Structure formats: structure tokens, C-alpha cells
Amino acid sequence: MKKTLLLSIFLFISFLSIHAQVIDSMIKVYSEQVPDEKAYVHFDKDLYRAGETIWFKAYLFSGFSLSSTSKNFYAELVNDKGNIVQRKVYPIAESSSSGSFDLPDSMPAGNMVFRGYTVWMYNFDTAFIFQKNIVVTDKAGLTEKKKSEVVKTYSIQFFPEGGNLVNNLQSVVAFKANDELGLPVAANGNIVDSKGTVVTSFSSKHDGMGAFNLTPSPNETYQAVWNDPSGKKQTISLPEVKAQGYVLKISGASGKKVFMLTRTDEVPESWKKVNIIALLGQERIYKAKANLAETKVTSGTIPVENLPSGIMQITIFSDTWEPIAERITMINNGNYTFQAKVNTPELNTNFRAKNTIEIEVDDTVLSNLSLAVTDAAIGRQTSGDNIISRMLLSGDIKGYVYNPTYYFANNADSTANNLDLVLLTHGWRRYNWATLARGRKPVIKFPADNYLTLEAKVFGVTTASPLRTDEQLLIFIQSKDSSSQFLEMPKTGVDKFTLPNVIFYDTATVFYQFMKDKKAEKEMSLGFYNNFIKGARRIDFLNRPLNLEVDTAAIARTKFFADKLFQLGSKFDPKGNVLEAVTVKTRTKSPTQQLDEKYASGLFRGDNGYSFDLTNNQATSYFDIFSFLQGRVAGLQITGQGSNASLTWRGSRPALFLNEMQTDVSQISSISVSDVAYIKVMRPPFIGATGGGAGGAIAVYTKKGGDVKQEPGKGLNKSLVVGYSAPKEFYSPNYKDLSGSSEVTADYRTTLYWNPMILTDATRKKVRFEFYNNDITKAYRVILEGVNEIGKMVRVEKVIQQPK
């Protein structure tokens, strides 16, 4: 009997130890194998008129670092019925992606939702997918008429700190009151017991939220009786009171978080010893045990002064690792930003005047930024997120947070206290502790994706007519922008060929040829597909209201612009930049620009790096291309010559291209310099390269002769396949060489400048950009947002106008 008892005790202790080890190891599994991923999207503005373009830049994070998990970003524009009206897919580079949506001229006024996500995010609670509510006016600048049948309703919810109300234990009970749109409303009332006796009163303190203390009595129930903003008296029951259990309280002091645990006289035996775990960014940062067998109260301190800023989750477990209380709290050490300056060396708000903006970042690490310049009134934000509030707060809790930017605007104690009310009244991305205790890994239905992957399915394959095991496809991809690629697709299944990490845009024509079995071309056919997810989840607005507040000043300004434009009648193209005559008198293109138009295409075209004109044979004295480039590009390191040349840029190897076909050092080094017409060196990242081009790219173009260029792929079988959404370049007019305003149609752009890809580092700490004003704007709103490579963020917003 004694041996049996000892064995039982030993097995029980082993069980507890195993559970502790399993939970620890599973938390590590989540951190290392199932990293969290969240997105923030920067827009040029919040309010759009039918016919305009929505410009955006997405940033991807994992914990406190930039995310390297996903390669494709999905963007959707959803109407107020939850239906997707437009969908785009863009590649991710440097943990970011950018794109645009063109709004039709005929679009009616209404509320839209932008939804942005990666495939990886679909493995988790989709409540955390990025969403932004957008107001769209019609072409005349008018908003949607309010529906008279909408009835104003109000609700209130109560949240005991730690999770439960417990008999005879004083609890902090937080509350929040909202209208039917989820917007906060003021609330006040009384807490009454079952006899109608007032126990305590409550009144909202900040944005419909507040808190009060309550000590429940045994066998008692409680209700809140309150007056909503319409004056109507409402009654709602408070959460059920537990007969026994724990109350958890959290308080904050400089550099530490203090927790206090109080239990009832009677609790299960396994609850008299507890385990305390604190998590921050999927990492366990605190672990302790407490014995409450002889006492009913214990407390502890968690040092946090050296931790990253973010939401910390504290969970109390029983001795058998059953979760019994939980609380989230904010650690705000102010260590999540880096500094950037926005200067205006040249400022002029006159009619179509030239302006210069300078971005200066003192840090030597790589930073990735986006910049929007708008008319100051239209660009004003009301209560939206920014990159800081999204990454530290609203991206990690469930439910709508009103005006999250307020909680990071200053370091006042009152602001911190109001932030704590937000955390007391909102849900958390909780772990399923029961699943973790059993050692079950999360089910990953959507593996991390690659860049665009081409898949070819062969129709007509039978046992009597199989494909050779060593068969390969030779394909020629002809894109709409005239760029082309010759590639080989290996066989990856009985009737399938696969080629990962391809980059092309819009719809492309794929010419193909079987390399081994020529008769297969006559007996079989192919269908080409991409790896993008086909389905899209509908938004249910019954449970997720739009929460839209209309900025009346921005609406009035939008209508003012629209009225001005309608005076011009049919000459105005609201989707373009209203400059009919701008092509009549333009600045003469430089020889390098002419070469770029002649040789470069697709992602290779444009001012995205360094360009070298070799058509006049001034480089023929150099040993090879690499010796010519040495010392000409800041940050590009080239050592050695010929096929032994070694290249690095920002710690990575640049991709090499010959006539836009990816190649290697030996082939580039073998080209005679006298045969080269044009060289482009693209700054990192260059997403046209396999793997995202972290080291940038070098594109070499050989001279074209007078021969008629043969059409590759002619005579081959072909198929169509959809690639990434076609990128659109923001057009900023150049009024420098226009002789008079009479030659240019009126200019009433509301977004004056948008640049989604600004990179700075130790070799390029300052960058300058030029833009020209429209006809009437007298004040600019400038918003700069971005990240650096160690995960710190920046946001600068300022209104710029000339002094009177």
C-alpha cells in the first residue's frame, strides 16, 4: 500500500513536471516554427473621390522584428455589403509591398473597407487581418445619404480584471459603452443587487470606458442600471459570480509590473499552488511558482525596464497547469522608434510652384520608408491607426479600438491609465492552453508561400501514354510590357511541372515545348496556373460594423475640389492628373533616359538606381564590366576580376542579368565591354531577382543592331497565365518647361506626391524629392512612415505652409 502511494505521488509529480516542460517547449514551438505575422498599411489619405487612385504601402512584422515569412501580399477592396469589388496581389520585398486601386468614375458614394493579408495569416484568427475603413464620395464630392431607417442603439459590456468575479473578493470591473457603429458613448449608472439595492455607481472616464471596484457577496447577482445617450434607462446583468477562485490585479511602476493574487478560503487542492507565466511577443519572459496553501494573498514583481515595448500577457495556472486567471498589460519603454527629419529646402504654395522635400535619417542601418504629400485638409486623419499604434496595440487585441494613436501621443500618466482601460476591455490573441498542455502543434493549413509559382498540368497523360520521368518543359514567358523570360520547368509529378519564384505582372502568354518527347506536344495539352489563393473570405458587417466617422472638414474640401473640376466639363479626367497639354512641352530626355526606354522593360525600367551609357565606347579600356563598375556605385563592393570577381551590397550578393535574363559572374565577365550599350545597377531590394534581390541587381544590355528582332516563341504552343497585379507609377507633373497655364488643363489633385519606396542607409542618409503644387492648395500635409531593418518604426506628420 505504501509503495502504491509513493508510486502515485511520484507519477503525479512527474505529470506536473512533464506538463511544465511541454508548455515551455510548445511556447518555443510557436515562437520558432509558427511565428506570428501582422501587417500595417500606410495610405496616401483616408478620403477618396470616385475616379481617384488609392495608393498604399504595406509593412509586415513578426513579433518585434520584420517578417520574412511571406512572399505575397493580398489587398482587397470590399463594399459595405461585404463583397470584394477589387483584388490585387503584389510581391513582398524588404518585408513590405506597395500597390494601388483605381476607383471607377461611376462609383457611388459609400463606405469601403481595405483588407490586407498574407496567406500565412489565414492559419490564425482572421480577426487580426489588417482592415481599414475608407470613405468614398461620388464624382461630385458628395457622401452617401444617411439611411433614415437606421435606428440608434447603445450597448455596454463589463469585464472583471483577471477574468472572473469571485465571492468575497474585491475585483476591478472595467466597462465600455458603444453605439451601433462600435463608436464610444458616455455612460453612467448604478450597480444594484438582486434586491435592487445600489451597491456602487459608475461613470465613463475616457471614450466610453471606465472602471469600478466590486466585492460580490455569496448567493447574490448584480445588474447595471444605466442611462444611454438617448436618455433611455437600460438594465444589463453583470458576469456570473464564481463561488471560489482567484482575483488577479496588475499595477505598474517605473521599470516593473506588480501582480497581486488573492484566493477565496476554499479552492480545489490543485489551486493552492500556482504557476505564473508572462509572455511578450511569443517569448516567455517570466516564470514563477507561488504556494498559497497557508496564505490567501501573494504578490510579485516582473522587471520590464530592459524589455521591448508591447503587450505582455500574464497567465496564472493551477498546480496541474489549468489556466485560472489572465490579464494583459502594456509595456511602454519608448524604445520602438528611430528618428527621421522631414525638411523643405524649397517651399512654395503658389500656383503650380516647385517644392523640394528632404528626408534625413541619422541611423546607419537600412530604413524602408513611404511618403505622402496631400492637401492639408483632405489628408487629415480623424481616429485612424498609424504604424506605431497598429504594431503595439490594435494589431494584437480583438475588437475595435477608437483612436488608438492617442495612447502613444505622450507619456502622461493619464494616457497610460486610459490605455489600461483599453486592455481591460478588449480580447487578446490567446493561446489555447489545453492544446499546448497536450503537446499538440498548431495545424498549418496554409504553408508559407513562395513568390509567384508557375504550375503546369498536363492533360492526356495515361498509363498507356505516360510522360517520360526526365521530361522538362522549355517555356518562354511574354509579358504585356514586352519583357520576356526563357525558363525550364522541371517535372514534379506524374502530370505536373512546377517552377517557383517567378516574377511577372498582369496576364502573360506562355509558349511551351516538351524538351524530350516531341510527340507529347501533339497528344497532350497543358494548362498553366499560379500559386495564389483562389478563394476570398467575405466580411460579415453584422458582427464587424464599419465604425466610420466622417471628417466634415475633409468632406467639404473634397466637394470644393470637385466643384472646381466640374466647371471644366468633359475636359477633366479625374483618374489621371488633368494635364492634357503636359506632353506638348516636356523636358528633353537625356541620352540615358532614351537608352532606358530603348533597352529596359518591366521592373528594369525607370529611375531606380544607377545608369551608365556605354554607347560612345568610353569604357573599352576596362578589362571587363566589373572593373568598369568598381568605385562608381556607393555601397557596392567588387573585388577580383573576370570569373573570380566577388560582389556584395548591404551584405548580400547582387543578382546579375544579361538582357534581363538572370545569369552569373562568369557569363557577365566574358562579355566584351565594347559590345555593351547600357548598364543599370538597381538598389536593394530588387524583386525581379530570384529570392527578392536583397543585394540589388546589375543589368547589362548588349548593343542592338539593325536586324529585325526575331519573335521568340513563334510557332510554339501557348497558354495564358495571370501574374502579379500590374504596378502603377504615381505621376507627378513637371511644370518647369511649360510656358503658360493656358496650355494646361486645370490641376486639382488632392494627393500631390506619393513615394512608397524610400531607402536610406549609411551611404545614403539624405534623400530629396521634388513635386509641383496644384492650382489652389495653400497648405501641405506630409506624412512619413516606415521601419528599419531591426524592426524600429518612424512616423512624422506635419502641416507645411508658407508664413503669412
Side-chain angles (χ1 to χ4, degrees):
M1 182 69 180
K2 186 176 181 180
K3 289 183 178 179
T4 303
L5 179 61
L6 290 174
L7 178 61
S8 298
I9 293 172
F10 172 76
L11 291 175
F12 180 70
I13 293 173
S14 299
F15 168 80
L16 297 181
S17 177
I18 289 171
H19 267 61
Q21 292 174 8
V22 167
I23 286 182
D24 266 357
S25 64
M26 290 307 298
I27 290 173
K28 189 175 181 180
V29 165
Y30 269 81
S31 175
E32 295 179 356
Q33 299 180 25
V34 195
D36 191 11
E37 191 172 53
K38 52 187 176 181
Y40 168 74
V41 183
H42 178 197
F43 294 83
D44 60 316
K45 55 185 180 179
D46 288 342
L47 173 68
Y48 297 88
R49 187 179 63 250
E52 290 188 321
T53 298
I54 297 174
W55 301 96
F56 65 87
K57 164 79 171 287
Y59 297 92
L60 281 300
F61 287 78
S62 180
F64 304 108
S65 304
L66 300 181
S67 175
S68 58
T69 302
S70 298
K71 297 296 185 290
N72 302 308
F73 184 74
Y74 293 78
E76 295 167 352
L77 205 57
V78 186
N79 64 20
D80 56 3
K81 296 180 176 60
N83 299 318
I84 298 170
V85 295
Q86 289 190 52
R87 188 189 197 196
K88 302 287 186 76
V89 186
Y90 294 100
I92 295 172
E94 292 288 329
S95 304
S96 65
S97 185
S98 61
S100 61
F101 284 106
D102 287 331
L103 301 178
D105 300 351
S106 58
M107 175 172 280
N111 298 327
M112 305 292 290
V113 172
F114 175 98
R115 179 167 59 182
Y117 58 92
T118 65
V119 173
W120 183 254
M121 293 178 188
Y122 264 178
N123 291 303
F124 312 102
D125 192 335
T126 54
F128 297 99
I129 284 177
F130 179 87
Q131 289 188 184
K132 179 181 176 64
N133 303 312
I134 295 172
V135 177
V136 178
T137 73
D138 63 16
K139 191 175 178 180
L142 300 174
T143 56
E144 183 181 28
K145 293 182 180 179
K146 291 185 178 180
K147 299 176 182 178
S148 57
E149 65 270 17
V150 174
V151 179
K152 294 293 291 183
T153 58
Y154 304 96
S155 62
I156 192 168
Q157 295 173 282
F158 293 88
F159 305 86
E161 184 175 17
N164 296 308
L165 287 171
V166 184
N167 278 343
N168 296 319
L169 299 183
Q170 186 186 73
S171 292
V172 173
V173 181
F175 64 90
K176 65 173 180 176
N178 300 101
D179 65 11
E180 77 284 354
L181 294 177
L183 298 175
V185 295
N188 61 83
N190 296 314
I191 304 298
V192 300
D193 61 18
S194 58
K195 302 178 184 64
T197 303
V198 174
V199 177
T200 188
S201 61
F202 64 90
S203 180
S204 55
K205 176 184 175 184
H206 172 75
D207 285 345
M209 298 177 293
F212 56 88
N213 292 319
L214 179 65
T215 304
S217 299
N219 304 315
E220 189 59 87
T221 58
Y222 297 91
Q223 290 183 318
V225 180
W226 67 295
N227 296 313
D228 68 25
S230 68
K232 180 181 178 182
K233 181 177 289 187
Q234 294 198 40
T235 302
I236 183 174
S237 296
L238 265 62
E240 179 187 1
V241 179
K242 302 295 183 182
Q244 54 184 2
Y246 277 86
V247 165
L248 169 65
K249 294 185 178 181
I250 302 294
S251 59
S254 179
K256 60 185 178 182
K257 292 288 181 179
V258 178
F259 62 87
M260 177 177 289
L261 270 176
T262 308
R263 71 169 177 87
T264 52
D265 292 336
E266 298 297 327
V267 293
E269 194 64 31
S270 63
W271 286 28
K272 292 182 179 179
K273 292 182 180 180
V274 297
N275 300 280
I276 303 124
I277 285 183
L279 301 175
L280 179 66
Q282 290 190 294
E283 299 286 346
R284 178 173 62 76
I285 51 94
Y286 180 84
K287 182 179 180 181
K289 290 180 177 290
N291 188 340
L292 282 85
E294 302 299 330
T295 182
K296 292 184 291 183
V297 181
T298 190
S299 62
T301 300
I302 304 175
V304 298
E305 67 271 14
N306 296 319
L307 295 176
S309 297
I311 294 178
M312 180 172 68
Q313 176 183 1
I314 302 172
T315 306
I316 311 300
F317 296 90
S318 69
D319 204 20
T320 54
W321 290 93
E322 176 187 359
I324 56 180
E326 193 165 73
R327 169 81 145 88
I328 57 175
T329 184
M330 175 63 70
I331 298 173
N332 190 349
N333 289 327
N335 52 1
Y336 45 82
T337 60
F338 68 95
Q339 297 299 312
K341 297 177 184 177
V342 177
N343 302 313
T344 51
E346 188 175 7
L347 175 64
N348 195 334
T349 58
N350 291 332
F351 177 89
R352 299 178 190 173
K354 179 184 174 183
N355 293 269
T356 301
I357 288 184
E358 180 182 81
I359 309 299
E360 181 180 359
V361 179
D362 290 334
D363 283 357
T364 58
V365 298
L366 174 67
S367 64
N368 180 2
L369 312 168
S370 47
L371 176 70
V373 182
T374 60
D375 181 89
I378 293 177
R380 184 175 65 182
Q381 296 185 346
T382 51
S383 60
D385 257 348
N386 62 33
I387 191 169
I388 294 170
S389 60
R390 174 71 186 182
M391 290 301 107
L392 296 183
L393 177 62
S394 56
D396 273 333
I397 58 179
K398 289 186 177 182
Y400 173 67
V401 180
Y402 178 76
N403 195 15
T405 58
Y406 156 81
Y407 301 103
F408 302 94
N410 58 64
N411 296 319
D413 290 343
S414 58
T415 304
N417 293 334
N418 292 337
L419 174 56
D420 200 46
L421 287 175
V422 174
L423 300 179
L424 282 167
T425 57
H426 284 75
W428 171 247
R429 195 193 303 254
R430 299 172 188 270
Y431 288 95
N432 187 326
W433 293 115
T435 301
L436 262 64
R438 290 194 292 268
R440 292 184 182 177
K441 292 184 178 181
V443 177
I444 300 300
K445 296 181 180 179
F446 302 93
D449 56 358
N450 289 316
Y451 289 111
L452 195 154
T453 297
L454 273 185
E455 297 178 354
K457 180 176 174 56
V458 186
F459 299 93
V461 176
T462 64
T463 52
S465 180
L467 281 172
R468 291 177 49 160
T469 57
D470 61 344
E471 186 61 88
Q472 284 188 317
L473 274 182
L474 176 66
I475 64 171
F476 171 74
I477 303 174
Q478 182 72 56
S479 300
K480 281 188 175 181
D481 62 2
S482 299
S483 61
S484 58
Q485 304 177 65
F486 270 113
L487 301 165
E488 291 182 5
M489 288 186 73
K491 188 167 178 283
T492 54
V494 174
D495 59 354
K496 188 171 70 172
F497 296 83
T498 306
L499 183 64
N501 297 323
V502 185
I503 300 287
F504 66 89
Y505 292 87
D506 212 330
T507 302
T509 302
V510 181
F511 299 89
Y512 63 89
Q513 183 178 46
F514 290 95
M515 296 181 66
K516 305 286 185 181
D517 189 353
K518 300 301 180 183
K519 68 177 183 179
E521 295 179 14
K522 299 179 181 179
E523 299 175 353
M524 302 174 187
S525 61
L526 272 76
F528 284 85
Y529 311 92
N530 61 37
N531 61 320
F532 299 153
I533 57 174
K534 304 301 185 289
R537 302 189 181 187
R538 190 177 181 276
I539 294 179
D540 183 1
F541 288 119
L542 293 177
N543 296 320
R544 296 180 66 85
L546 289 177
N547 305 309
L548 283 173
E549 281 191 301
V550 177
D551 185 338
T552 54
I555 292 291
R557 185 69 170 168
T558 299
K559 189 176 185 308
F560 173 74
F561 272 71
D563 290 344
K564 287 287 186 182
L565 290 165
F566 269 90
Q567 295 173 11
L568 301 172
S570 61
K571 292 182 180 180
F572 169 57
D573 176 10
K575 190 180 297 180
N577 290 281
V578 298
L579 306 171
E580 289 184 350
V582 85
T583 56
V584 176
K585 291 189 177 184
T586 58
R587 187 170 50 193
T588 303
K589 293 186 175 82
S590 68
T592 302
Q593 289 175 320
Q594 294 176 26
L595 278 175
D596 197 69
E597 290 187 0
K598 180 178 181 180
Y599 285 93
S601 63
L603 290 172
F604 295 86
R605 179 170 289 180
D607 182 19
N608 56 349
Y610 301 81
S611 299
F612 302 97
D613 177 4
L614 275 67
T615 54
N616 56 9
N617 295 320
Q618 84 277 16
T620 54
S621 60
Y622 288 89
F623 177 76
D624 60 11
I625 297 300
F626 301 126
S627 59
F628 168 76
L629 288 175
Q630 282 180 341
R632 294 178 183 267
V633 178
L636 176 62
Q637 303 295 321
I638 302 177
T639 57
Q641 290 184 332
S643 59
N644 295 320
S646 175
L647 295 83
T648 59
W649 203 357
R650 292 181 183 152
S652 299
R653 182 178 299 176
L656 301 177
F657 293 86
L658 177 59
N659 297 325
E660 299 184 0
M661 299 295 295
Q662 195 155 353
T663 184
D664 54 22
V665 169
S666 60
Q667 184 169 6
I668 294 295
S669 65
S670 66
I671 302 170
S672 172
V673 178
S674 60
D675 292 331
V676 175
Y678 185 44
I679 300 174
K680 291 198 73 174
V681 183
M682 275 75 70
R683 296 186 181 92
F686 180 68
I687 60 176
T690 301
I698 300 173
V700 177
Y701 297 86
T702 54
K703 294 176 180 177
K704 294 181 177 180
D707 297 336
V708 177
K709 189 177 180 181
Q710 294 183 351
E711 183 182 350
K714 189 174 182 180
L716 299 177
N717 292 320
K718 63 182 179 180
S719 180
L720 293 177
V721 65
V722 176
Y724 287 110
S725 302
K728 179 180 177 180
E729 185 177 356
F730 180 84
Y731 174 70
S732 185
N734 184 345
Y735 289 120
K736 180 179 180 180
D737 296 318
L738 296 177
S739 59
S741 60
S742 61
E743 298 181 5
V744 182
T745 306
D747 180 356
Y748 293 117
R749 292 167 296 129
T750 56
T751 297
L752 300 163
Y753 186 75
W754 167 254
N755 191 332
M757 202 63 178
I758 302 172
L759 301 177
T760 67
D761 59 15
T763 64
R764 195 168 181 251
K765 291 186 176 183
K766 291 183 180 181
V767 287
R768 283 193 174 192
F769 307 99
E770 296 178 354
F771 72 92
Y772 286 82
N773 192 19
N774 57 27
D775 291 359
I776 55 175
T777 290
K778 293 300 180 183
Y780 309 129
R781 185 174 301 276
V782 180
I783 297 180
L784 176 76
E785 291 190 316
V787 298
N788 64 20
E789 61 185 351
I790 59 175
K792 291 192 175 184
M793 301 168 284
V794 67
R795 188 179 196 276
V796 178
E797 178 176 357
K798 58 197 308 186
V799 173
I800 302 173
Q801 55 190 344
Q802 287 179 305
K804 295 181 180 180

